[in-house]
Amino acid sequence: MTIQTRYQDFLTLLEQSNPAGDIVVVTDNLSSHTSVSTREWLTEHPRIRQVFIPKNACWLNLQEPWWRMFRRQGLAGQELASSADIHTVTAVATAQLNAKDKPWIWGRPPPPKRVYRLKMTYRI
């Protein structure tokens, strides 16, 4: 099974679980998202519209930081022998990440307030 087929299977499940209305899928420029077979599949399913993250704007892809945390916390140092092991590690890592969840805030935090030293003036 190719990556394109898996992606198309995912889109099929998405379409089946949302029977009414249009579906907008935001993706990066991965080859499975832009392949000819995927584009042909999308023309046969007009309810699904694919929107791409602009190139050189990887910071818009919120999946990347999640995968980075997942690899560091869930997969680091693990030897996974079966799909049951993968399922267990995924469930534990996801639970740990969800336990520390907080709203995602875009942009930089405001700069800290500057504390000025007291100015000394000498009088004669």
Side-chain angles (χ1 to χ4, degrees):
M1 182 177 280
T2 64
I3 293 174
Q4 288 88 1
T5 308
R6 289 182 186 165
Y7 181 62
Q8 292 165 15
D9 291 343
F10 166 73
L11 291 177
T12 302
L13 287 173
L14 188 65
E15 187 175 33
Q16 291 170 354
S17 64
N18 297 294
D22 292 337
I23 301 170
V24 178
V25 180
V26 180
T27 63
D28 56 7
N29 294 306
L30 192 65
S31 62
S32 61
H33 303 152
T34 59
S35 68
V36 174
S37 63
T38 300
R39 286 183 289 181
E40 290 172 353
W41 188 92
L42 286 168
T43 57
E44 296 169 4
H45 299 85
R47 283 188 33 207
I48 299 178
R49 193 178 68 165
Q50 198 169 20
V51 178
F52 294 104
I53 295 173
K55 291 183 181 181
N56 299 325
C58 60
W59 54 272
L60 289 173
N61 190 352
L62 293 179
Q63 182 179 355
E64 296 300 329
W66 186 89
W67 274 111
R68 183 175 55 248
M69 289 185 293
F70 180 70
R71 281 193 307 268
R72 286 182 184 164
Q73 295 176 4
L75 300 178
Q78 300 288 329
E79 292 184 19
L80 307 172
S82 67
S83 61
D85 290 346
I86 295 171
H87 178 71
T88 302
V89 167
T90 303
V92 169
T94 303
Q96 289 173 352
L97 287 172
N98 286 339
K100 296 188 279 186
D101 69 337
K102 56 185 174 189
W104 188 273
I105 299 172
W106 288 99
R108 289 186 193 169
K113 202 138 179 124
R114 291 186 69 179
V115 178
Y116 295 103
R117 295 188 318 206
L118 291 173
K119 292 183 180 177
M120 303 296 287
T121 52
Y122 295 100
R123 296 176 191 225
I124 302 183

